[in-house]
C-alpha cells in the first residue's frame, strides 16, 4: 500500500504527513530534554554548592564543538536547498559534510569524556558530573541517531532521487528538522553546563 | 515558475549563510561574557538570552518556522505550554515544606 501524502499536502492539516510527524516527534523530544533541564534546575538550586562549569570542563573544546554543530546545521539546510535546485551532486557534498561534522563533534566529545574518565571522573563522582554526563550523553546519542539517518540518505536512501525526487527532498527536509533540533539543544546545553 | 522558485531558494541560501555568521558571532559573545565573571543571576539571564536568540535563529530560518503552516504553530504552542509547566515544576518545592 502506498503511504499517502508524502508529496502532496493533506487537505485538513495543510502539511505532508512526514512534516507533521517530525514536528510531533520533536514536541516529544522537547519534553524529554525539558524534563532533564527541569531536574537540573531543581538539583542546582537545592545544592549547597555547585561548581562553575568552566572550572571543571574544557570550554575551548566545547566552543569548537558548538562551531562544528552550527556549521553542520548550515550544510544540512544547504543540502536540502541543493535538492530544491535539482543539484544532486551538490546535495551529496553538503550532506557528506554534515555527516563529517557529526563525526567531528563525537570525536571532540570522546576526547572530553576520555579526559574525565582518565582522571577517574564518572557520573558517580557527584551531582555535577551526573547531570553533565546524563545531559551530554543523551545529546550525544541524538547526534549518533542523526548521523545514521543522514548517512542512509547520503548513501542507499538517495536512490529515491531517481524515482521520486520530490518525496526524497521532503525526506531530507524532515531529517534536517531533526538535525537542527539537535543543534538547538546543544545551543542551550553549552552555556548551561560549561559557562554557568 | 520553476526558475522563480529556484531564485527564491538562492535568496534563502544567502540568508542561511548570514544566519550562520550571526550564530558564530553570538557564540563568541556567549563565551566572552562568561569571562566577565558576572554574578550568577545576571550571568544566567545573559547566557539564556543569547542562547534564546541563537535558538530563535535556528528555528526561524533553518527549520523554516518563519513561514510554516498553522498546525505546526499550534503543535508548538501546546509544547511551549507544557514545557513551561515542566520547567516550573521545581518551583512547587517552595510550597512543599516539611514542618
Amino acid at each position: 500500500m502506498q503511504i499517502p501524502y508524502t508529496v502532496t499536502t493533506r487537505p485538513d492539516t495543510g502539511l505532508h504527513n512526514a512534516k507533521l510527524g517530525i514536528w510531533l516527534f520533536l514536541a516529544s523530544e522537547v519534553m524529554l530534554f525539558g524534563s532533564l533541564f527541569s531536574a537540573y534546575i531543581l538539583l542546582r538550586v537545592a545544592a549547597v554548592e555547585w561548581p562553575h562549569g568552566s572550572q571543571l570542563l574544557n570550554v575551548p573544546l566545547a566552543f569548537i564543538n558548538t562551531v562544528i554543530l552550527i556549521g553542520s546545521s548550515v550544510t544540512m539546510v544547504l543540502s536540502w536547498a541543493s535538492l530544491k535546485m535539482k543539484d544532486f551532486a551538490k546535495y551529496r557534498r553538503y550532506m557528506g559534510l554534515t555527516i563529517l561534522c557529526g563525526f567531528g563533534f563525537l570525536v571532540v566529545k570522546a576526547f572530553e569524556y576520555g579526559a574525565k574518565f582518565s582522571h577517574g571522573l564518572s557520573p558517580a563522582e557527584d551531582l555535577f558530573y551526573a547531570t553533565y554526563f546524563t545531559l551530554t550523553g543523551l545529546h550525544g546519542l541524538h547526534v549518533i541517531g542523526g548521523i545514521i539517518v543522514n548517512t542512509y540518505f547520503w548513501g542507499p536512501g538517495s536512490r529515491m532521487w531517481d524515482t521520486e525526487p520530490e518525496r526524497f527532498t521532503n525526506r531530507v527536509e524532515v531529517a534536517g528538522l531533526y538535525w537542527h533540533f539537535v543543534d538547538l539543544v546543544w545551543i542551550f546545553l553549552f552555556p548551561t553546563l560549561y559557562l554557568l | 515558475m520553476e526558475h522563480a522558485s529556484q531564485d527564491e531558494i538562492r535568496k534563502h541560501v544567502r540568508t542561511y549563510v548570514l544566519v550562520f555568521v550571526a550564530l558564530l558571532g553570538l557564540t563568541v559573545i556567549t563565551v566572552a561574557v562568561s569571562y566577565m565573571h558576572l554574578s550568577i543571576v545576571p550571568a544566567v539571564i545573559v547566557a539564556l538570552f543569547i542562547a534564546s536568540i541563537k535558538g530563535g535563529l535556528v528555528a526561524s530560518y533553518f527549520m523554516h518556522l518563519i513561514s510554516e503552516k498553522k498546525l505546526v504553530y499550534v503543535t508548538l504552542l501546546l509544547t511551549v505550554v507544557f514545557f513551561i509547566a515542566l520547567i516550573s515544576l521545581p518551583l512547587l518545592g517552595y510550597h512543599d515544606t516539611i514542618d
Side-chain angles (χ1 to χ4, degrees):
Chain A
M1 196 186 96
Q2 194 83 20
I3 301 172
Y5 304 111
T6 52
V7 177
T8 53
T9 54
R10 213 179 119 129
D12 53 354
T13 63
L15 299 160
H16 60 83
N17 279 356
K19 177 77 86 69
L20 180 59
I22 193 72
W23 276 112
L24 290 173
F25 173 66
L26 292 182
S28 78
E29 290 278 273
V30 168
M31 298 311 280
L32 172 64
F33 280 101
S35 62
L36 290 178
F37 268 106
S38 184
Y40 167 83
I41 294 168
L42 180 68
L43 291 171
R44 181 156 187 173
V45 171
V48 180
E49 271 189 346
W50 194 275
H52 196 277
S54 64
Q55 290 166 345
L56 302 177
L57 303 174
N58 192 326
V59 175
L61 280 186
F63 173 77
I64 291 169
N65 253 353
T66 308
V67 173
I68 289 175
L69 218 51
I70 290 172
S72 78
S73 247
V74 184
T75 54
M76 185 82 205
V77 79
L78 291 179
S79 75
W80 168 78
S82 304
L83 287 181
K84 279 285 192 186
M85 292 191 280
K86 317 260 182 262
D87 191 338
F88 184 73
K90 220 177 195 178
Y91 155 75
R92 285 284 295 257
R93 273 202 299 278
Y94 281 127
M95 188 54 116
L97 274 174
T98 309
I99 297 162
L100 282 178
C101 284
F103 276 115
F105 179 90
L106 290 178
V107 168
V108 173
K109 202 86 215 119
F111 274 112
E112 274 192 81
Y113 275 14
K116 294 287 167 263
F117 289 137
S118 68
H119 289 94
L121 297 165
S122 71
E125 178 70 15
D126 57 20
L127 269 180
F128 176 83
Y129 281 107
T131 49
Y132 164 74
F133 279 110
T134 306
L135 282 164
T136 56
L138 183 69
H139 178 265
L141 285 177
H142 279 75
V143 173
I144 293 170
I147 290 174
I148 292 169
V149 172
N150 289 345
T151 304
Y152 174 72
F153 288 139
W154 180 82
S158 69
R159 278 198 291 266
M160 185 184 263
W161 175 253
D162 299 326
T163 53
E164 297 173 272
E166 271 187 72
R167 188 177 175 193
F168 180 66
T169 307
N170 284 345
R171 283 186 163 191
V172 171
E173 183 187 13
V174 162
L177 286 172
Y178 169 81
W179 191 254
H180 301 313
F181 174 79
V182 173
D183 179 27
L184 213 152
V185 170
W186 181 257
I187 283 173
F188 282 92
L189 276 184
F190 171 51
T192 306
L193 292 173
Y194 290 81
L195 304 177
L196 291 175
Chain B
M1 189 64 195
E2 190 57 50
H3 284 292
S5 88
Q6 291 208 4
D7 278 347
E8 240 169 67
I9 295 291
R10 276 196 194 91
K11 267 186 218 156
H12 284 316
V13 167
R14 274 196 290 276
T15 311
Y16 298 146
V17 175
L18 284 176
V19 170
F20 174 57
V21 174
L23 288 171
L24 287 184
L26 287 166
T27 305
V28 171
I29 291 172
T30 311
V31 177
V33 167
S34 79
Y35 284 108
M36 288 166 64
H37 300 294
L38 299 170
S39 60
I40 188 71
V41 174
V44 168
I45 291 170
V46 172
L48 289 186
F49 179 69
I50 299 174
S52 301
I53 295 175
K54 288 169 73 183
L57 284 173
V58 170
S60 302
Y61 294 99
F62 293 169
M63 300 173 90
H64 307 133
L65 275 185
I66 208 149
S67 56
E68 213 17 291
K69 296 290 187 303
K70 195 179 158 210
L71 188 62
V72 174
Y73 294 134
V74 173
T75 306
L76 285 178
L77 184 69
L78 203 61
T79 312
V80 167
V81 170
F82 280 104
F83 180 77
I84 290 171
L86 193 60
I87 291 294
S88 308
L89 272 180
L91 294 176
L92 291 177
Y94 282 113
H95 304 289
D96 186 23
T97 49
I98 309 165
D99 346 274

